[in-house]
Amino acid sequence: MHVDMDYFYAACEELRHPELRGRPFVVGIYKEGDKLRGVVQTSSYAARKFGIKSAMPTAMAFKIYPELGYVAPDDPYYEEMSRRVMALLRERGFPIEAMSIDEAAVDLGAMGYDEARKLAVSVKNEVKKRLGLPCSIGVGTGKAFAKMACDAAKPDGILVVRREELASFMDGKKVGSLPGVGKKTEERLRAMKIDTIAGLGRADPMALIDQFGSLGKELYMLAHGVDDSKVVEHAETLSIGRERTLPRDATRVDETIDVLKSLTDEVMKEVHSRGFLFRNIGVKAKYADFTERIRSTTTNNYTDSSDLVYSTAIRLLRGLMTGPRVRKVGVRVSRFVAEKGQKKLFSAHT
Ligand code: DCP
Ligand code: MG
Ligand code: MG
């Protein structure tokens, strides 16, 4: 099963700016003087109706629709929403792999299609109900096919592609709709006169391997409905953090310890519930002039000690409280391993 959030950054913004709902707007603009520069990171569905989409220069988007609304990106907020999405998916107990900030592959094992569809409906409803965000879900006989089903289900849909439906689902589609085929690969395939997935399936596999190496073999297999890739949890790429505005701006670390304590408790509650061990502890200070600084340290051994996080956070933050008043503080841990299995392997080296 593949879950991908619909117009993710824009949907997150609609949550906290209800006045944006249903309006054409984009996330990702920044201004330089009076000029609008940069590219669109994502657009609301109302903006997509005008052809405004990710990676388009902002200036062009405004040319297409001068009344376009825009919001500057707020990455920590999207990361936090992403963590909530992933945590919610994990509650179901299946292995999940976060494939990007807004999508995950879920390993349903040998579950039947009907049961998988029911699960997809239930997950989709729960994401909407608890987080207020729309998503789409695809179910298929491999990671790539589930992702393609999810793409085809967008927006706000569910699509189950059974093994016997897979060939007709894929055949007419362009090679670019295969996960892993970007603009460059697409062009190189076109140079070989291969445009569609059906065409890819009829191509000479040796010529594909010649051109693309192992990717060539993979693509040929995908075109034939074979995808054996596994869902892998990437615990080490995650970080878990919380931040909070202080009740009053602070100049000394002892004025922040209550907030640090509760941030530590919140972070550690999530760490413990996931059974992670970590090696990196970091803090962040946001100053009254809106600049911010971070500091982090790596411990010798994997740990899940709340006391260590708390005392380290105090020590690190003290080093950041030498200048302007501090308005907001954050605590974050990262470099995880799952507690079961890998613990011994890692601590043997330390
Ligand atoms: N993103 C970005 N720059 C890009 C593409 C995406 O910053 N060139 C960010 C913004 C997106 C988020 O990643 O909201 C997720 O990317 P998706 O490709 O899943 O796109 P959306 O979720 O925005 O839309 P869709 O409903 O098509 O999934
Ligand atoms: Mg998305
Ligand atoms: Mg995505």
Side-chain angles (χ1 to χ4, degrees):
M1 179 167 94
H2 186 97
V3 182
D4 185 293
M5 306 305 292
D6 293 335
Y7 60 108
F8 184 51
Y9 290 7
C12 290
E13 295 299 344
E14 283 185 0
L15 262 191
R16 57 181 182 180
H17 301 293
E19 69 278 8
L20 288 171
R21 258 176 227 156
R23 277 194 58 194
F25 73 97
V26 295
V27 176
I29 290 169
Y30 63 92
K31 279 189 170 184
E32 212 171 78
D34 301 336
K35 291 214 178 86
L36 293 168
R37 292 182 189 270
V39 294
V40 171
Q41 283 179 255
T42 198
S43 51
S44 65
Y45 275 97
R48 291 183 194 193
K49 294 211 175 83
F50 299 105
I52 295 167
K53 53 186 183 189
S54 297
M56 173 183 278
T58 302
M60 187 189 288
F62 272 89
K63 228 169 252 165
I64 295 173
Y65 192 81
E67 305 301 301
L68 193 65
Y70 68 90
V71 184
D74 176 358
D75 291 346
Y77 171 52
Y78 311 137
E79 279 161 20
E80 174 57 28
M81 296 310 282
S82 173
R83 272 191 289 279
R84 289 191 204 171
V85 171
M86 302 300 167
L88 188 155
L89 295 177
R90 272 194 193 88
E91 284 175 15
R92 302 293 179 132
F94 299 98
I96 89 156
E97 177 177 353
M99 308 287 291
S100 81
I101 191 163
D102 86 326
E103 64 198 272
V106 185
D107 186 352
L108 302 184
M111 184 185 285
Y113 296 113
D114 292 336
E115 201 186 331
R117 179 187 298 279
K118 278 190 202 132
L119 180 71
V121 171
S122 148
V123 166
K124 186 165 151 43
N125 288 340
E126 201 182 352
V127 170
K128 182 78 199 177
K129 192 165 154 221
R130 281 173 49 191
L131 304 178
L133 293 170
C135 69
S136 297
I137 300 184
V139 173
T141 54
K143 275 165 79 176
F145 310 130
K147 181 172 165 69
M148 291 171 73
C150 178
D151 286 344
K154 277 190 172 293
D156 203 26
I158 291 173
L159 181 65
V160 178
V161 178
R162 296 166 178 252
R163 185 172 299 286
E164 61 272 22
E165 298 164 335
L166 185 57
S168 65
F169 171 71
M170 290 207 299
D171 273 1
K173 286 196 170 19
K174 299 268 185 252
V175 285
S177 57
L178 283 172
V181 177
K183 284 256 145 42
K184 276 198 188 132
T185 307
E186 201 176 358
E187 270 165 35
R188 286 171 65 196
L189 284 167
R190 191 170 309 126
M192 297 170 74
K193 305 240 171 336
I194 300 168
D195 278 318
T196 62
I197 297 176
L200 188 63
R202 285 191 301 268
D204 172 9
M206 293 326 280
L208 288 170
I209 291 168
D210 226 39
Q211 274 287 317
F212 300 99
S214 64
L215 176 66
K217 180 180 170 197
E218 221 171 90
L219 293 178
Y220 184 78
M221 300 297 268
L222 286 180
H224 284 270
V226 180
D227 178 11
D228 295 329
S229 59
K230 299 270 183 295
V231 170
V232 189
E233 292 243 31
H234 292 298
E236 72 278 9
T237 64
L238 294 172
S239 74
I240 296 175
R242 292 283 184 283
E243 49 185 80
R244 186 154 306 139
T245 304
L246 298 168
R248 251 174 297 116
D249 291 359
T251 50
R252 293 188 325 271
V253 78
D254 54 300
E255 298 168 282
T256 69
I257 54 173
D258 291 344
V259 173
L260 285 183
K261 181 76 176 81
S262 69
L263 291 174
T264 300
D265 289 346
E266 286 169 35
V267 167
M268 293 310 295
K269 194 172 160 215
E270 191 173 340
V271 169
H272 288 147
S273 78
R274 294 209 206 159
F276 285 161
L277 299 167
F278 54 85
R279 278 188 70 186
N280 196 269
I281 302 169
V283 295
K284 172 158 110 181
K286 197 162 195 170
Y287 300 98
D289 63 2
F290 292 103
T291 59
E292 59 180 52
R293 281 164 68 196
I294 55 174
R295 230 178 233 186
S296 71
T297 183
T298 299
T299 60
N300 286 331
N301 294 292
Y302 280 94
T303 178
D304 67 348
S305 158
S306 301
D307 290 344
L308 182 67
V309 173
Y310 182 47
S311 58
T312 305
I314 292 174
R315 178 168 63 79
L316 292 173
L317 193 65
R318 184 171 290 130
L320 292 179
M321 298 197 71
T322 50
R325 287 172 297 131
V326 170
R327 172 160 288 175
K328 195 174 186 180
V329 294
V331 174
R332 180 173 296 275
V333 298
S334 60
R335 307 238 345 237
F336 295 116
V337 289
E339 183 154 24
K340 288 195 192 88
Q342 295 185 58
K343 184 178 183 179
K344 282 201 183 69
L345 190 78
F346 279 86
S347 48
H349 295 284
T350 58

PDB file of all heavy atoms in Angstrom, residues 269-296:
ATOM      1  N   LYS A 269       8.847  10.520  24.932  1.00  0.00           N
ATOM      2  CA  LYS A 269       7.648   9.689  24.890  1.00  0.00           C
ATOM      3  C   LYS A 269       7.520   9.055  23.504  1.00  0.00           C
ATOM      4  O   LYS A 269       7.225   7.854  23.368  1.00  0.00           O
ATOM      5  CB  LYS A 269       6.415  10.558  25.194  1.00  0.00           C
ATOM      6  CG  LYS A 269       5.188   9.757  25.510  1.00  0.00           C
ATOM      7  CD  LYS A 269       4.056  10.641  26.003  1.00  0.00           C
ATOM      8  CE  LYS A 269       2.749   9.883  25.832  1.00  0.00           C
ATOM      9  NZ  LYS A 269       1.637  10.754  25.480  1.00  0.00           N
ATOM     10  N   GLU A 270       7.769   9.858  22.482  1.00  0.00           N
ATOM     11  CA  GLU A 270       7.677   9.328  21.122  1.00  0.00           C
ATOM     12  C   GLU A 270       8.812   8.352  20.829  1.00  0.00           C
ATOM     13  O   GLU A 270       8.606   7.299  20.221  1.00  0.00           O
ATOM     14  CB  GLU A 270       7.674  10.480  20.108  1.00  0.00           C
ATOM     15  CG  GLU A 270       7.307   9.984  18.723  1.00  0.00           C
ATOM     16  CD  GLU A 270       7.111  11.100  17.708  1.00  0.00           C
ATOM     17  OE1 GLU A 270       6.888  12.261  18.114  1.00  0.00           O
ATOM     18  OE2 GLU A 270       7.194  10.795  16.510  1.00  0.00           O
ATOM     19  N   VAL A 271      10.015   8.691  21.283  1.00  0.00           N
ATOM     20  CA  VAL A 271      11.170   7.802  21.076  1.00  0.00           C
ATOM     21  C   VAL A 271      10.898   6.439  21.715  1.00  0.00           C
ATOM     22  O   VAL A 271      11.092   5.392  21.096  1.00  0.00           O
ATOM     23  CB  VAL A 271      12.456   8.425  21.676  1.00  0.00           C
ATOM     24  CG1 VAL A 271      13.587   7.408  21.698  1.00  0.00           C
ATOM     25  CG2 VAL A 271      12.864   9.661  20.884  1.00  0.00           C
ATOM     26  N   HIS A 272      10.428   6.455  22.950  1.00  0.00           N
ATOM     27  CA  HIS A 272      10.172   5.198  23.661  1.00  0.00           C
ATOM     28  C   HIS A 272       9.052   4.405  23.000  1.00  0.00           C
ATOM     29  O   HIS A 272       9.133   3.188  22.884  1.00  0.00           O
ATOM     30  CB  HIS A 272       9.853   5.474  25.133  1.00  0.00           C
ATOM     31  CG  HIS A 272      11.056   5.916  25.917  1.00  0.00           C
ATOM     32  ND1 HIS A 272      10.983   6.810  26.965  1.00  0.00           N
ATOM     33  CD2 HIS A 272      12.366   5.620  25.790  1.00  0.00           C
ATOM     34  CE1 HIS A 272      12.204   7.030  27.456  1.00  0.00           C
ATOM     35  NE2 HIS A 272      13.061   6.312  26.751  1.00  0.00           N
ATOM     36  N   SER A 273       8.022   5.104  22.555  1.00  0.00           N
ATOM     37  CA  SER A 273       6.897   4.374  21.961  1.00  0.00           C
ATOM     38  C   SER A 273       7.314   3.691  20.658  1.00  0.00           C
ATOM     39  O   SER A 273       6.738   2.700  20.256  1.00  0.00           O
ATOM     40  CB  SER A 273       5.704   5.303  21.740  1.00  0.00           C
ATOM     41  OG  SER A 273       5.922   6.075  20.584  1.00  0.00           O
ATOM     42  N   ARG A 274       8.348   4.224  19.996  1.00  0.00           N
ATOM     43  CA  ARG A 274       8.812   3.596  18.758  1.00  0.00           C
ATOM     44  C   ARG A 274       9.936   2.599  19.007  1.00  0.00           C
ATOM     45  O   ARG A 274      10.408   1.954  18.075  1.00  0.00           O
ATOM     46  CB  ARG A 274       9.315   4.653  17.789  1.00  0.00           C
ATOM     47  CG  ARG A 274       8.218   5.563  17.313  1.00  0.00           C
ATOM     48  CD  ARG A 274       8.558   6.038  15.945  1.00  0.00           C
ATOM     49  NE  ARG A 274       7.947   7.306  15.665  1.00  0.00           N
ATOM     50  CZ  ARG A 274       8.379   8.128  14.721  1.00  0.00           C
ATOM     51  NH1 ARG A 274       9.440   7.831  14.020  1.00  0.00           N
ATOM     52  NH2 ARG A 274       7.764   9.251  14.488  1.00  0.00           N
ATOM     53  N   GLY A 275      10.410   2.526  20.251  1.00  0.00           N
ATOM     54  CA  GLY A 275      11.482   1.594  20.558  1.00  0.00           C
ATOM     55  C   GLY A 275      12.808   1.961  19.908  1.00  0.00           C
ATOM     56  O   GLY A 275      13.590   1.096  19.542  1.00  0.00           O
ATOM     57  N   PHE A 276      13.075   3.257  19.771  1.00  0.00           N
ATOM     58  CA  PHE A 276      14.328   3.690  19.145  1.00  0.00           C
ATOM     59  C   PHE A 276      15.423   3.946  20.175  1.00  0.00           C
ATOM     60  O   PHE A 276      15.162   4.320  21.314  1.00  0.00           O
ATOM     61  CB  PHE A 276      14.124   5.008  18.389  1.00  0.00           C
ATOM     62  CG  PHE A 276      13.390   4.872  17.093  1.00  0.00           C
ATOM     63  CD1 PHE A 276      12.791   5.990  16.520  1.00  0.00           C
ATOM     64  CD2 PHE A 276      13.306   3.663  16.422  1.00  0.00           C
ATOM     65  CE1 PHE A 276      12.126   5.894  15.317  1.00  0.00           C
ATOM     66  CE2 PHE A 276      12.642   3.556  15.213  1.00  0.00           C
ATOM     67  CZ  PHE A 276      12.046   4.679  14.663  1.00  0.00           C
ATOM     68  N   LEU A 277      16.658   3.796  19.719  1.00  0.00           N
ATOM     69  CA  LEU A 277      17.829   4.306  20.432  1.00  0.00           C
ATOM     70  C   LEU A 277      18.449   5.358  19.522  1.00  0.00           C
ATOM     71  O   LEU A 277      18.323   5.265  18.303  1.00  0.00           O
ATOM     72  CB  LEU A 277      18.842   3.185  20.673  1.00  0.00           C
ATOM     73  CG  LEU A 277      18.358   2.009  21.514  1.00  0.00           C
ATOM     74  CD1 LEU A 277      19.342   0.855  21.398  1.00  0.00           C
ATOM     75  CD2 LEU A 277      18.194   2.428  22.962  1.00  0.00           C
ATOM     76  N   PHE A 278      19.122   6.341  20.094  1.00  0.00           N
ATOM     77  CA  PHE A 278      19.674   7.406  19.253  1.00  0.00           C
ATOM     78  C   PHE A 278      21.054   7.793  19.734  1.00  0.00           C
ATOM     79  O   PHE A 278      21.469   7.423  20.841  1.00  0.00           O
ATOM     80  CB  PHE A 278      18.748   8.625  19.269  1.00  0.00           C
ATOM     81  CG  PHE A 278      18.444   9.106  20.655  1.00  0.00           C
ATOM     82  CD1 PHE A 278      19.306   9.977  21.311  1.00  0.00           C
ATOM     83  CD2 PHE A 278      17.312   8.660  21.313  1.00  0.00           C
ATOM     84  CE1 PHE A 278      19.033  10.387  22.599  1.00  0.00           C
ATOM     85  CE2 PHE A 278      17.033   9.075  22.603  1.00  0.00           C
ATOM     86  CZ  PHE A 278      17.901   9.940  23.243  1.00  0.00           C
ATOM     87  N   ARG A 279      21.765   8.550  18.905  1.00  0.00           N
ATOM     88  CA  ARG A 279      23.108   8.992  19.292  1.00  0.00           C
ATOM     89  C   ARG A 279      23.272  10.492  19.237  1.00  0.00           C
ATOM     90  O   ARG A 279      24.283  10.995  19.675  1.00  0.00           O
ATOM     91  CB  ARG A 279      24.150   8.365  18.354  1.00  0.00           C
ATOM     92  CG  ARG A 279      24.513   6.965  18.760  1.00  0.00           C
ATOM     93  CD  ARG A 279      25.677   6.456  17.935  1.00  0.00           C
ATOM     94  NE  ARG A 279      26.920   7.152  18.288  1.00  0.00           N
ATOM     95  CZ  ARG A 279      28.053   6.977  17.639  1.00  0.00           C
ATOM     96  NH1 ARG A 279      28.108   6.162  16.612  1.00  0.00           N
ATOM     97  NH2 ARG A 279      29.141   7.612  18.009  1.00  0.00           N
ATOM     98  N   ASN A 280      22.322  11.188  18.632  1.00  0.00           N
ATOM     99  CA  ASN A 280      22.513  12.624  18.480  1.00  0.00           C
ATOM    100  C   ASN A 280      21.463  13.404  19.257  1.00  0.00           C
ATOM    101  O   ASN A 280      20.277  13.098  19.177  1.00  0.00           O
ATOM    102  CB  ASN A 280      22.458  12.981  16.986  1.00  0.00           C
ATOM    103  CG  ASN A 280      23.036  14.354  16.728  1.00  0.00           C
ATOM    104  OD1 ASN A 280      22.323  15.347  16.737  1.00  0.00           O
ATOM    105  ND2 ASN A 280      24.347  14.421  16.530  1.00  0.00           N
ATOM    106  N   ILE A 281      21.925  14.407  19.997  1.00  0.00           N
ATOM    107  CA  ILE A 281      21.014  15.251  20.777  1.00  0.00           C
ATOM    108  C   ILE A 281      21.281  16.695  20.373  1.00  0.00           C
ATOM    109  O   ILE A 281      22.437  17.127  20.336  1.00  0.00           O
ATOM    110  CB  ILE A 281      21.278  15.092  22.296  1.00  0.00           C
ATOM    111  CG1 ILE A 281      21.118  13.613  22.706  1.00  0.00           C
ATOM    112  CG2 ILE A 281      20.348  15.993  23.112  1.00  0.00           C
ATOM    113  CD1 ILE A 281      21.621  13.311  24.109  1.00  0.00           C
ATOM    114  N   GLY A 282      20.224  17.418  20.040  1.00  0.00           N
ATOM    115  CA  GLY A 282      20.417  18.797  19.583  1.00  0.00           C
ATOM    116  C   GLY A 282      19.443  19.757  20.231  1.00  0.00           C
ATOM    117  O   GLY A 282      18.369  19.365  20.705  1.00  0.00           O
ATOM    118  N   VAL A 283      19.839  21.028  20.260  1.00  0.00           N
ATOM    119  CA  VAL A 283      18.926  22.075  20.722  1.00  0.00           C
ATOM    120  C   VAL A 283      18.925  23.206  19.716  1.00  0.00           C
ATOM    121  O   VAL A 283      19.832  23.333  18.901  1.00  0.00           O
ATOM    122  CB  VAL A 283      19.328  22.663  22.099  1.00  0.00           C
ATOM    123  CG1 VAL A 283      19.218  21.633  23.189  1.00  0.00           C
ATOM    124  CG2 VAL A 283      20.715  23.282  22.049  1.00  0.00           C
ATOM    125  N   LYS A 284      17.884  24.006  19.828  1.00  0.00           N
ATOM    126  CA  LYS A 284      17.768  25.166  18.957  1.00  0.00           C
ATOM    127  C   LYS A 284      17.339  26.355  19.805  1.00  0.00           C
ATOM    128  O   LYS A 284      16.543  26.206  20.737  1.00  0.00           O
ATOM    129  CB  LYS A 284      16.698  24.873  17.901  1.00  0.00           C
ATOM    130  CG  LYS A 284      16.329  26.057  17.055  1.00  0.00           C
ATOM    131  CD  LYS A 284      15.718  25.593  15.760  1.00  0.00           C
ATOM    132  CE  LYS A 284      14.257  25.901  15.679  1.00  0.00           C
ATOM    133  NZ  LYS A 284      13.675  25.420  14.427  1.00  0.00           N
ATOM    134  N   ALA A 285      17.887  27.501  19.506  1.00  0.00           N
ATOM    135  CA  ALA A 285      17.433  28.745  20.149  1.00  0.00           C
ATOM    136  C   ALA A 285      17.002  29.708  19.061  1.00  0.00           C
ATOM    137  O   ALA A 285      17.713  29.910  18.081  1.00  0.00           O
ATOM    138  CB  ALA A 285      18.569  29.368  20.967  1.00  0.00           C
ATOM    139  N   LYS A 286      15.798  30.226  19.236  1.00  0.00           N
ATOM    140  CA  LYS A 286      15.333  31.262  18.320  1.00  0.00           C
ATOM    141  C   LYS A 286      15.308  32.567  19.113  1.00  0.00           C
ATOM    142  O   LYS A 286      14.721  32.626  20.188  1.00  0.00           O
ATOM    143  CB  LYS A 286      13.941  30.907  17.801  1.00  0.00           C
ATOM    144  CG  LYS A 286      13.544  31.671  16.576  1.00  0.00           C
ATOM    145  CD  LYS A 286      12.383  30.979  15.879  1.00  0.00           C
ATOM    146  CE  LYS A 286      12.200  31.516  14.465  1.00  0.00           C
ATOM    147  NZ  LYS A 286      11.243  30.692  13.724  1.00  0.00           N
ATOM    148  N   TYR A 287      15.988  33.575  18.562  1.00  0.00           N
ATOM    149  CA  TYR A 287      16.168  34.814  19.311  1.00  0.00           C
ATOM    150  C   TYR A 287      15.072  35.828  19.013  1.00  0.00           C
ATOM    151  O   TYR A 287      14.329  35.677  18.038  1.00  0.00           O
ATOM    152  CB  TYR A 287      17.546  35.406  19.001  1.00  0.00           C
ATOM    153  CG  TYR A 287      18.675  34.469  19.367  1.00  0.00           C
ATOM    154  CD1 TYR A 287      19.274  33.662  18.392  1.00  0.00           C
ATOM    155  CD2 TYR A 287      19.108  34.357  20.683  1.00  0.00           C
ATOM    156  CE1 TYR A 287      20.295  32.779  18.720  1.00  0.00           C
ATOM    157  CE2 TYR A 287      20.128  33.476  21.021  1.00  0.00           C
ATOM    158  CZ  TYR A 287      20.718  32.687  20.029  1.00  0.00           C
ATOM    159  OH  TYR A 287      21.704  31.812  20.366  1.00  0.00           O
ATOM    160  N   ALA A 288      15.033  36.825  19.866  1.00  0.00           N
ATOM    161  CA  ALA A 288      14.006  37.863  19.731  1.00  0.00           C
ATOM    162  C   ALA A 288      14.099  38.576  18.381  1.00  0.00           C
ATOM    163  O   ALA A 288      13.123  39.107  17.879  1.00  0.00           O
ATOM    164  CB  ALA A 288      14.129  38.866  20.871  1.00  0.00           C
ATOM    165  N   ASP A 289      15.308  38.572  17.773  1.00  0.00           N
ATOM    166  CA  ASP A 289      15.428  39.206  16.453  1.00  0.00           C
ATOM    167  C   ASP A 289      15.137  38.215  15.325  1.00  0.00           C
ATOM    168  O   ASP A 289      15.460  38.465  14.164  1.00  0.00           O
ATOM    169  CB  ASP A 289      16.826  39.819  16.290  1.00  0.00           C
ATOM    170  CG  ASP A 289      17.936  38.765  16.336  1.00  0.00           C
ATOM    171  OD1 ASP A 289      17.608  37.551  16.459  1.00  0.00           O
ATOM    172  OD2 ASP A 289      19.114  39.127  16.249  1.00  0.00           O
ATOM    173  N   PHE A 290      14.578  37.038  15.682  1.00  0.00           N
ATOM    174  CA  PHE A 290      14.140  36.003  14.744  1.00  0.00           C
ATOM    175  C   PHE A 290      15.273  35.225  14.081  1.00  0.00           C
ATOM    176  O   PHE A 290      15.029  34.387  13.228  1.00  0.00           O
ATOM    177  CB  PHE A 290      13.195  36.574  13.659  1.00  0.00           C
ATOM    178  CG  PHE A 290      11.885  37.000  14.243  1.00  0.00           C
ATOM    179  CD1 PHE A 290      11.608  38.338  14.455  1.00  0.00           C
ATOM    180  CD2 PHE A 290      10.952  36.051  14.618  1.00  0.00           C
ATOM    181  CE1 PHE A 290      10.411  38.733  15.033  1.00  0.00           C
ATOM    182  CE2 PHE A 290       9.757  36.434  15.197  1.00  0.00           C
ATOM    183  CZ  PHE A 290       9.482  37.768  15.402  1.00  0.00           C
ATOM    184  N   THR A 291      16.525  35.507  14.459  1.00  0.00           N
ATOM    185  CA  THR A 291      17.585  34.614  13.991  1.00  0.00           C
ATOM    186  C   THR A 291      17.523  33.350  14.843  1.00  0.00           C
ATOM    187  O   THR A 291      16.906  33.341  15.923  1.00  0.00           O
ATOM    188  CB  THR A 291      18.975  35.260  14.140  1.00  0.00           C
ATOM    189  OG1 THR A 291      19.171  35.579  15.511  1.00  0.00           O
ATOM    190  CG2 THR A 291      19.080  36.530  13.296  1.00  0.00           C
ATOM    191  N   GLU A 292      18.140  32.277  14.371  1.00  0.00           N
ATOM    192  CA  GLU A 292      18.179  31.084  15.217  1.00  0.00           C
ATOM    193  C   GLU A 292      19.502  30.360  15.083  1.00  0.00           C
ATOM    194  O   GLU A 292      20.220  30.515  14.082  1.00  0.00           O
ATOM    195  CB  GLU A 292      17.003  30.151  14.914  1.00  0.00           C
ATOM    196  CG  GLU A 292      16.925  29.659  13.487  1.00  0.00           C
ATOM    197  CD  GLU A 292      15.727  28.740  13.277  1.00  0.00           C
ATOM    198  OE1 GLU A 292      14.609  29.135  13.638  1.00  0.00           O
ATOM    199  OE2 GLU A 292      15.942  27.631  12.757  1.00  0.00           O
ATOM    200  N   ARG A 293      19.862  29.615  16.110  1.00  0.00           N
ATOM    201  CA  ARG A 293      21.080  28.815  16.081  1.00  0.00           C
ATOM    202  C   ARG A 293      20.780  27.443  16.642  1.00  0.00           C
ATOM    203  O   ARG A 293      19.928  27.289  17.521  1.00  0.00           O
ATOM    204  CB  ARG A 293      22.183  29.483  16.915  1.00  0.00           C
ATOM    205  CG  ARG A 293      22.855  30.646  16.166  1.00  0.00           C
ATOM    206  CD  ARG A 293      23.645  31.510  17.120  1.00  0.00           C
ATOM    207  NE  ARG A 293      24.812  30.807  17.654  1.00  0.00           N
ATOM    208  CZ  ARG A 293      25.494  31.208  18.729  1.00  0.00           C
ATOM    209  NH1 ARG A 293      25.112  32.276  19.390  1.00  0.00           N
ATOM    210  NH2 ARG A 293      26.542  30.541  19.131  1.00  0.00           N
ATOM    211  N   ILE A 294      21.495  26.451  16.113  1.00  0.00           N
ATOM    212  CA  ILE A 294      21.334  25.101  16.649  1.00  0.00           C
ATOM    213  C   ILE A 294      22.687  24.583  17.109  1.00  0.00           C
ATOM    214  O   ILE A 294      23.731  25.044  16.650  1.00  0.00           O
ATOM    215  CB  ILE A 294      20.739  24.123  15.610  1.00  0.00           C
ATOM    216  CG1 ILE A 294      21.575  24.102  14.346  1.00  0.00           C
ATOM    217  CG2 ILE A 294      19.298  24.459  15.297  1.00  0.00           C
ATOM    218  CD1 ILE A 294      21.126  23.063  13.348  1.00  0.00           C
ATOM    219  N   ARG A 295      22.665  23.655  18.021  1.00  0.00           N
ATOM    220  CA  ARG A 295      23.859  22.995  18.488  1.00  0.00           C
ATOM    221  C   ARG A 295      23.534  21.550  18.780  1.00  0.00           C
ATOM    222  O   ARG A 295      22.464  21.256  19.295  1.00  0.00           O
ATOM    223  CB  ARG A 295      24.338  23.664  19.779  1.00  0.00           C
ATOM    224  CG  ARG A 295      25.799  23.968  19.616  1.00  0.00           C
ATOM    225  CD  ARG A 295      26.420  24.638  20.725  1.00  0.00           C
ATOM    226  NE  ARG A 295      27.093  25.829  20.186  1.00  0.00           N
ATOM    227  CZ  ARG A 295      27.857  26.607  20.917  1.00  0.00           C
ATOM    228  NH1 ARG A 295      28.020  26.346  22.181  1.00  0.00           N
ATOM    229  NH2 ARG A 295      28.454  27.634  20.371  1.00  0.00           N
ATOM    230  N   SER A 296      24.435  20.647  18.431  1.00  0.00           N
ATOM    231  CA  SER A 296      24.135  19.250  18.734  1.00  0.00           C
ATOM    232  C   SER A 296      25.403  18.501  19.091  1.00  0.00           C
ATOM    233  O   SER A 296      26.517  18.984  18.855  1.00  0.00           O
ATOM    234  CB  SER A 296      23.444  18.579  17.547  1.00  0.00           C
ATOM    235  OG  SER A 296      24.369  18.409  16.501  1.00  0.00           O
TER     236      SER A 296
END
